[in-house]
């Protein structure tokens, strides 16, 4: 069980995973370097307005005369790092809470799980919207709102794994040997949680990007003039005829999210062999 | 066991379902209160000035107005009392006044709910149909090319930003190709059918207005298509997993050993066996649909909860946003309760002793 | 000693009637073309009306795979060689459509665990009649009357009421009786029983075994009894074949196997049985 994920290499090479990883790495690269090489200042409004894509402006210009290509590329440096940070935050907090709930059980578990129930009683975007609106519109508050709705899934998953492990012999043995709760969690339980959590996290990067850009689309995230994909699409509603304003930012979101989903789904095959290994081996 | 008298069997056959439903109902009611606590807390306790938000900057600068507002709303009282007042108000349908429409939020939302439920119901039917078909296909052809294709398509479905898809498809099918009808629920020339259910399609059928029905249906197509893409992906993946599990079950092998034909086996044995996990995910899919409406309806000018939420959010109308949060929370809870109910009906082990 | 078809079996078979099912040099491999794992390595068997042929062996010996092959129920990555003939019809290489005319109609099967081989969400009545209406072209009403008769025969109490009930409302032993009724509903000539008592309480095992014995006698069924349990074999089998690693190592009439085991492996199996008292009970 614990050595399973050491034999990854051969299984890594799935077309889906490779395609996803290449696209994802490309976007992350763009996110960190875009400011150095984009042709125009993403905020300057000196270009002709609503210009269709052409040789000067690859993806056209928006209603304020800004270069969409430059905004799109620098937009990556807004959304992608925030999404990654959001996932790390939810992962850290959610996993810790789930582990505590599963390990200590009783009223601690009851309390924490009712809390997750409460969050999950709302559809995610709705709750995030309500929280963001209450906190006031800003990109930072949008990240907080997204965090509020995304930690419970990590808590739930970790809790159920820990609950299953708590009674396993080797975990019991550790406890009998006098391991402290946190040593037990770290030594005996953490290695079993890593795989499933990693799968969840990589799929969650996509969800985080969709959520953050959705909040910005609603005007509750990035504020003008920040170049952010969701708010760029939102601006397109006022200019239906200039199709390029909305088309490209959407494609950017689609490709990033798809890339992370491809990676996550391939990771799932590796960490959860039951999902892919042939069930052909009949009883005999 | 077989000799048990009929009367007692009848009794024991009925009580488990009732007990189960009462338990689920209890959970739902508790969660409902949780939902109100969340909206109350967000509206009153978060940093920022809810009074300024409620009155608007202009009025909030006038101390007398603020004082009057605080008195009127009971904001000088302790929090538990405020919460009790809030709940009491909710029971009388008081969700505050929208800053944007200056109408009571409850009235605005009452008009918006049927439009959204109509879209969500149709989208769930479409997603379920396509999801079950694609998911079963992928499971039956596990590892083959068609399985891989379904996998990629469903992953792409899960990656599409719905608000963008709404925009692009509206642009393409309406503005460019002119094959989709415009925005809204009906063409401007048509009057809404007499209200019975609040669903234009159903109401038009009930009134026998065929033209209105087809027009309403045509207006539904594009929003439903856009909303369904995500849930199709979600359901397809889940159906595939569930069907794979059931295909492995002994009772399916036993059905094969009886010489049942493929379709009888698929519908009678496999899908019936997978129906319970699929039902669970349908409840979840409803949540994502309701989320989706917020991002999609505005593009199609569809006068539902989603447009209302969008307009409230973009104009920072806090009472409006809270109202949507509360109503959608209640709708979602009711749907999940309905799912629990259906679960009890579909699973004889829950229904019968 | 490695002589597989001893003269005794041939004589015994000839003395009764002609075999209805003949397995000849059956080979089964499972896996991809490059990585084919050989499970059954050329076994031969015959099933004769009114006789119970035992197929013994530990798990992994290939005995269940052999029985599944007779119904064409092997996974799609299985490669089958040799011949399985039902009277004069060759089953190996049949399409699923052709096999569906045989399955349930000519050859029926009961499985190890009736709590999983009966569909939990379908009433006993549906599971007892859906293949009857298909194979025998009976009306719903006729099929129902037929089903009640069958349940009476396998001694399920209150047959008419039982039809409207679900599997979980019966005890394990009754569930297996229902499974037997389902198998016999279309009046097959061959019955495959894969560990039919293994999942049941010891107290009800004997009842099920006797039912199988009686049914074999009165319906002139050719029964293949697959089990790892020689105690079960000794109770009702007429002939016994012992399988190991995909081969039949010894095959003879029951008395011969128990009185005079030829192969070392058979002696090993016999030695692992509980004392002679165990047989007596089972035979009761």
């Amino acid at each position: 069980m614990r050595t399973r994920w050491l034999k990854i290499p051969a299984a890594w090479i799935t077309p889906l995973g490779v395609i996803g990883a290449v696209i994802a790495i490309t976007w992350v690269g763009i996110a960190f370097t875009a400011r150095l090489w984009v042709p125009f200042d993403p905020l300057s409004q000196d270009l002709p307005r609503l210009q269709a894509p052409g040789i000067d402006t690859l993806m056209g210009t928006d209603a304020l005369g800004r270069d969409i290509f430059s905004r799109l590329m620098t937009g990556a440096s807004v959304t992608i790092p925030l999404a990654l940070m959001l996932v790390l935050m939810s992962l850290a907090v959610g996993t810790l809470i789930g582990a505590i709930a599963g390990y200590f059980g009783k009223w601690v578990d009851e309390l924490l799980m009712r809390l997750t129930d409460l969050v999950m009683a709302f559809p995610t975007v709705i709750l995030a919207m309500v929280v963001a609106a209450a906190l006031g519109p800003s990109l930072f508050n949008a990240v907080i709102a997204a965090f509020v709705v995304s930690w419970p899934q990590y808590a739930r998953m970790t809790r159920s794994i820990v609950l299953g492990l708590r009674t396993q012999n080797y975990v019991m043995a550790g406890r009998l040997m006098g391991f402290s709760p946190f040593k037990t969690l770290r030594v005996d339980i953490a290695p079993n949680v890593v795989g499933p959590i990693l799968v969840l996290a990589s799929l969650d990067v996509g969800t985080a990007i969709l959520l953050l850009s959705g909040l910005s689309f609603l005007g509750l995230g990035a504020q003008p003039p920040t170049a952010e994909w969701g708010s760029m699409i939102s601006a397109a509603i006022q200019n239906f005829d200039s199709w390029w304003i909305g088309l490209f930012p959407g494609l950017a979101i689609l490709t990033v999210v798809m890339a992370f989903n491809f990676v996550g789904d391939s990771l799932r095959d590796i960490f959860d062999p039951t999902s892919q290994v042939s069930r052909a081996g009949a009883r005999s | 066991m077989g000799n048990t008298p009929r009367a007692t069997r009848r009794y024991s056959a009925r009580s488990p379902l009732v007990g189960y439903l009462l338990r689920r109902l209890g959970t739902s009611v508790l969660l409902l209160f949780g939902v109100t606590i969340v909206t109350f807390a967000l509206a009153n306790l978060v940093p920022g000035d809810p009074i300024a938000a409620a009155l608007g900057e202009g009025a909030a600068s006038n101390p007398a107005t603020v004082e009057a507002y605080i008195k009127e709303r009971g904001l000088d009282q302790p929090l538990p009392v405020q919460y009790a007042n809030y709940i009491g108000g909710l029971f009388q349908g008081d969700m505050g006044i929208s800053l944007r429409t200056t109408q009571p939020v409850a009235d605005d939302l009452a008009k918006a709910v049927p439009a959204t439920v109509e879209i969500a119901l149709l989208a769930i039917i479409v997603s379920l149909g396509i999801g079950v078909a694609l998911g079963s296909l992928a499971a039956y052809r596990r590892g083959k090319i068609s399985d891989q294709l379904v996998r990629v398509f469903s992953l792409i479905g899960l990656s599409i930003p719905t608000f963008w898809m709404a925009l692009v498809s509206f642009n393409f099918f309406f503005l460019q190709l002119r094959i989709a009808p415009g925005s809204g629920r009906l063409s401007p020339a048509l009057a809404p059918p007499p209200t019975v259910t609040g669903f234009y399609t159903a109401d038009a059928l009930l009134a026998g207005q065929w033209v209105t029905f087809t027009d309403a249906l045509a207006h539904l197509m594009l929003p439903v298509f856009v909303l369904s893409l995500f849930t199709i992906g979600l359901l397809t993946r889940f159906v595939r997993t569930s069907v794979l599990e059931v295909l492995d079950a002994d009772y399916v092998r036993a059905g094969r050993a009886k010489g049942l034909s493929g379709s009888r086996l698929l519908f009678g044995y496999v899908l019936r066996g997978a129906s319970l996990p699929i039902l669970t995910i349908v409840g979840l899919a409803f949540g994502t649909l309701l989320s989706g409406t917020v991002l999609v309806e505005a593009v199609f000018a569809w006068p539902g909860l989603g447009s209302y939420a969008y307009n409230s959010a973009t104009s920072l109308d806090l009472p409006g946003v809270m109202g949507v949060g509360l109503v959608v929370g209640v709708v979602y809870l009711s749907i999940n309760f309905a799912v629990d109910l259906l679960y009890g009906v579909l699973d004889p082990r829950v229904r019968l002793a | 000693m490695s002589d597989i078809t001893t003269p005794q079996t041939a004589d015994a078979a000839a003395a009764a009637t002609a075999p209805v099912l003949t397995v000849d040099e059956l080979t089964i491999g499972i896996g991809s073309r490059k990585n084919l794992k050989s499970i059954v390595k050329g076994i031969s068997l015959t099933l004769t009306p009114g006789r119970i042929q035992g197929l013994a062996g530990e798990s992994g010996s290939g005995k269940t795979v052999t029985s599944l092959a007779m119904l064409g129920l092997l996974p799609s990555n299985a490669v089958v060689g040799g011949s399985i003939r039902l009277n004069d019809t060759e089953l190996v290489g049949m399409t699923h459509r052709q096999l569906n005319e045989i399955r349930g109609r000519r050859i029926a099967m009961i499985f190890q665990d009736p709590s999983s081989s009966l569909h939990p969400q379908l009433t006993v009545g549906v599971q007892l009649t859906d293949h009857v209406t298909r194979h025998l072209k009976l009306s719903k009403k006729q099929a129902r009357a037929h089903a009640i008769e069958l349940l009476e025969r396998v001694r399920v109490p209150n047959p008419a009421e039982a039809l409207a009930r679900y599997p979980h409302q019966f005890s394990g032993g009754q569930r297996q009786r229902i499974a037997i009724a389902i198998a016999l509903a279309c009046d097959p000539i061959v019955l495959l029983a894969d560990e039919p008592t293994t999942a049941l309480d010891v107290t009800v095992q004997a009842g099920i075994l006797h039912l199988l014995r009686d049914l074999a006698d009165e319906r002139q069924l050719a029964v293949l009894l697959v089990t790892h349990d020689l105690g079960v074999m000794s109770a009702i089998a007429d002939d016994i074949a012992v399988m190991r690693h995909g081969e039949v190592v010894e095959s003879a009439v029951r008395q011969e196997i128990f009185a005079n085991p030829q192969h070392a492996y058979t002696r090993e199996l016999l030695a692992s049985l509980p004392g002679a008292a165990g047989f007596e009970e089972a035979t009761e």
Side-chain angles (χ1 to χ4, degrees):
Chain A
M1 185 90 172
R2 283 198 242 173
T3 52
R4 191 208 293 145
W5 61 291
L6 294 177
K7 341 176 191 159
I8 292 167
W12 274 100
I13 318 296
T14 64
L16 212 57
V18 171
I19 293 171
V22 167
I23 300 178
I25 290 169
T26 308
W27 268 118
V28 172
I30 290 174
F32 286 102
T33 60
R35 283 181 200 286
L36 305 175
W37 50 260
V38 288
F40 297 96
D41 176 355
L43 300 183
S44 80
Q45 310 179 359
D46 325 323
L47 295 165
R49 295 176 180 189
L50 296 176
Q51 187 173 297
I55 297 167
D56 311 338
T57 53
L58 279 175
M59 297 178 180
T61 62
D62 65 10
L64 297 174
R66 297 176 294 199
D67 177 41
I68 292 182
F69 177 75
S70 303
R71 288 177 69 73
L72 195 73
M73 293 299 136
T74 48
S77 65
V78 176
T79 308
I80 294 176
L82 278 183
L84 291 174
M85 196 183 83
L86 171 62
V87 169
L88 281 180
M89 230 160 66
S90 317
L91 187 155
V93 173
T95 313
L96 187 67
I97 289 182
I100 290 174
Y103 187 85
F104 291 101
K106 303 205 187 73
W107 66 268
V108 180
D109 183 34
E110 194 64 26
L111 183 78
L112 292 172
M113 285 307 111
R114 291 300 77 78
L115 202 59
T116 63
D117 280 347
L118 200 53
V119 173
M120 288 174 153
F122 292 91
T124 48
V125 174
I126 302 287
L127 183 58
M129 175 191 78
V130 171
V131 174
L135 293 173
S138 81
L139 199 48
F140 178 76
N141 287 346
V143 174
I144 300 293
F147 166 74
V148 167
V149 299
S150 58
W151 67 269
Q153 43 177 342
Y154 294 94
R156 287 280 183 97
M157 179 181 267
T158 310
R159 171 183 176 267
S160 69
I161 296 173
V162 172
L163 271 187
L165 288 173
R166 202 169 53 156
T167 49
Q168 295 277 315
N169 283 335
Y170 69 93
V171 179
M172 293 295 267
R175 292 169 75 184
L176 290 175
M177 277 156 60
F179 282 15
S180 73
F182 285 95
K183 182 156 187 192
T184 307
L185 283 175
R186 199 182 39 162
V187 175
D188 286 333
I189 291 178
N192 293 290
V193 179
V194 168
I197 290 291
L198 201 62
V199 173
L200 185 60
S202 53
L203 291 169
D204 202 34
V205 174
T207 315
I209 292 173
L210 286 178
L211 188 55
L212 286 176
S213 57
L215 287 174
S216 295
F217 174 78
L218 291 175
L220 296 172
Q223 297 300 305
T226 312
E228 195 277 344
W229 296 337
S231 48
M232 287 168 79
I233 295 173
S234 171
I237 293 190
Q238 275 91 50
N239 296 285
F240 260 126
D241 290 325
S242 312
W243 53 268
W244 55 91
I245 300 183
L247 182 70
F248 297 113
L251 284 177
I253 299 176
L254 175 62
T255 48
V256 187
V257 175
M258 199 178 69
F260 280 100
N261 280 345
F262 282 0
V263 172
D265 206 51
S266 309
L267 282 181
R268 190 205 302 272
D269 291 346
I270 296 164
F271 286 110
D272 180 14
T274 52
S275 74
Q276 199 62 26
V277 166
S278 162
R279 282 158 196 262
R283 289 182 299 129
S284 55
Chain B
M1 210 175 176
N3 298 328
T4 332
R6 209 191 171 95
T8 53
R9 248 197 52 227
R10 271 279 161 95
Y11 173 74
S12 68
R14 204 153 286 176
S15 66
L17 184 62
V18 173
Y20 162 81
L21 288 180
L22 283 179
R23 272 197 311 281
R24 306 308 297 173
L25 190 65
T27 319
S28 301
V29 170
L30 277 181
L31 274 175
L32 192 60
F33 273 101
V35 166
T36 60
I37 290 176
V38 170
T39 48
F40 170 76
L42 285 172
N44 294 280
L45 306 179
V46 289
D49 191 347
I51 299 170
L55 293 175
E57 294 296 333
S61 57
N62 180 346
T65 321
V66 172
E67 185 107 343
Y69 181 81
I70 287 178
K71 272 265 145 42
E72 184 206 323
R73 290 256 126 189
L75 296 181
D76 48 351
Q77 290 173 319
L79 277 179
V81 178
Q82 284 190 41
Y83 176 68
N85 289 341
Y86 173 75
I87 292 282
L90 286 183
F91 272 113
Q92 292 159 24
D94 175 13
M95 302 168 89
I97 307 287
S98 162
L99 306 176
R100 183 175 55 88
T101 67
T102 67
Q103 298 293 310
V105 172
D107 294 359
D108 287 345
L109 290 175
K111 280 180 236 148
V113 168
T116 292
V117 173
E118 185 177 29
I119 257 190
L121 275 180
L122 200 61
I124 206 78
I125 293 169
V126 168
S127 314
L128 196 59
I130 299 179
V132 166
L134 286 181
S136 310
L137 175 86
Y140 269 72
R141 314 212 170 238
R142 183 196 181 100
K144 305 241 170 71
I145 294 287
S146 41
D147 182 20
Q148 303 292 349
L149 279 179
V150 168
R151 179 183 186 182
V152 170
F153 279 125
S154 59
L155 280 174
I156 292 175
L158 292 175
S159 311
I160 296 174
T162 41
F163 49 98
W164 169 75
M165 196 64 202
L167 198 74
V168 169
S169 60
F170 186 76
N171 212 314
F172 187 68
F173 291 107
F174 176 61
L175 297 178
Q176 307 291 325
L177 295 185
R178 301 244 155 228
I179 53 172
S183 52
R185 297 180 78 183
L186 278 180
S187 301
L190 290 168
T195 307
V196 183
T197 58
F199 304 158
Y200 280 9
T201 47
D203 286 349
L205 274 186
L206 287 173
Q209 300 170 344
W210 187 250
V211 178
T212 312
F213 171 75
T214 50
D215 190 68
L217 196 62
H219 277 81
L220 273 166
M221 301 267 244
L222 211 48
V224 164
F225 159 75
V226 171
L227 269 180
S228 303
L229 287 174
F230 188 90
T231 36
I232 288 173
L234 189 73
L235 283 165
T236 299
R237 295 170 61 73
F238 207 82
V239 168
R240 177 182 179 272
T241 315
S242 311
V243 167
L244 270 182
E245 221 150 82
V246 172
L247 279 179
D248 226 22
D250 268 359
Y251 58 78
V252 169
R253 186 178 278 182
R256 283 216 176 94
K258 280 159 65 169
L260 295 177
S261 66
S263 60
R264 166 77 199 155
L265 202 65
L266 173 65
F267 292 106
Y269 282 62
V270 177
L271 287 182
R272 193 184 295 259
S275 62
L276 297 174
I278 293 175
L279 191 62
T280 313
I281 210 73
V282 166
L284 201 81
F286 247 109
T288 68
L289 279 179
L290 290 172
S291 285
T293 57
V294 173
L295 302 166
V296 166
E297 282 183 4
V299 177
F300 295 106
W302 189 267
L305 285 176
S307 287
Y308 193 80
Y310 175 84
N311 292 328
S312 304
T314 46
S315 60
L316 295 178
D317 172 6
L318 202 55
V321 172
M322 290 303 150
V324 172
L326 187 64
V327 167
V328 172
V330 171
V331 169
Y332 191 37
L333 273 180
S334 327
I335 285 163
N336 277 318
F337 180 66
V339 163
D340 286 340
L341 233 155
L342 222 63
Y343 207 98
V345 172
L346 279 181
D347 189 351
R349 285 160 299 186
V350 174
R351 178 156 40 100
L352 308 166
Chain C
M1 223 174 262
S2 54
D3 187 9
I4 289 164
T5 36
T6 56
Q8 287 100 317
T9 27
D11 287 350
T17 28
V20 287
L21 191 113
T22 315
V23 176
D24 205 14
E25 286 299 318
L26 179 72
T27 60
I28 301 170
I30 289 182
S32 61
R33 203 172 301 166
K34 273 180 258 167
N35 186 17
L36 199 69
K37 193 171 163 242
S38 178
I39 310 263
V40 173
K41 302 161 186 165
I43 68 163
S44 300
L45 280 173
T46 55
L47 301 184
T48 315
R51 285 185 82 82
I52 297 180
Q53 167 73 55
L55 189 57
E58 60 202 4
S59 57
S61 61
K63 56 192 197 308
T64 291
V65 173
T66 302
S67 64
L68 289 177
M70 294 178 186
L71 280 173
L73 285 180
L74 293 171
S76 56
N77 60 350
V79 182
V80 181
S83 150
I84 303 172
R85 282 188 310 280
L86 179 71
N87 292 324
D88 290 325
T89 319
E90 178 60 55
L91 301 185
V92 173
M94 260 194 178
T95 65
H96 277 271
R97 194 177 288 270
Q98 291 168 318
L99 278 166
N100 275 343
E101 297 307 315
I102 308 272
R103 292 171 180 161
R105 176 77 188 88
R106 315 293 293 171
I107 306 178
M109 184 158 187
I110 55 177
F111 295 85
Q112 177 169 348
D113 184 358
S115 60
S116 63
S117 68
L118 297 176
H119 200 301
Q121 287 158 273
L122 290 175
T123 61
V124 167
V126 168
Q127 301 191 58
L128 248 172
T129 54
D130 58 0
H131 57 315
V132 175
T133 46
R134 175 185 146 78
H135 285 308
L136 303 185
K137 310 280 181 271
L138 294 186
S139 71
K140 283 245 163 85
K141 208 172 155 193
Q142 290 168 317
R144 192 185 136 84
H146 183 59
I148 291 177
E149 264 172 49
L150 280 163
L151 286 180
E152 255 163 22
R153 175 61 196 90
V154 297
R155 274 178 271 142
V156 170
N158 298 332
E161 277 180 38
L163 290 183
R165 294 166 71 190
Y166 291 89
H168 73 276
Q169 295 172 296
F170 295 88
S171 69
Q174 282 178 348
R175 277 184 220 145
Q176 194 61 301
R177 286 170 190 272
I178 292 167
I180 292 172
I182 292 173
L184 296 181
C186 298
D187 216 3
I189 50 179
V190 176
L191 178 67
L192 311 175
D194 182 9
E195 305 271 11
T197 56
T198 310
L200 301 179
D201 287 347
V202 186
T203 46
V204 299
Q205 287 187 358
I208 297 290
L209 291 177
H210 279 183
L211 179 63
L212 283 177
R213 178 73 259 179
D214 292 348
L215 290 168
D217 292 340
E218 73 190 44
R219 296 182 166 232
Q220 284 299 296
L221 268 175
V223 179
L224 180 72
L225 177 66
V226 175
T227 178
H228 69 284
D229 185 348
L230 281 181
V232 166
M233 288 287 180
S234 73
I236 59 165
D238 296 302
D239 312 286
I240 295 174
V242 178
M243 267 187 95
R244 189 188 196 191
H245 301 324
E247 290 172 42
V248 171
V249 293
E250 184 167 3
S251 178
V253 294
R254 174 187 53 182
Q255 294 83 348
E256 194 68 19
I257 292 269
F258 278 90
N260 187 18
Q262 297 295 304
H263 196 278
Y265 180 63
T266 312
R267 284 198 288 272
E268 211 177 290
L269 281 182
L270 286 171
S272 67
L273 272 177
F279 306 140
E280 299 292 311
E281 256 171 57
T283 337
E284 255 345 278

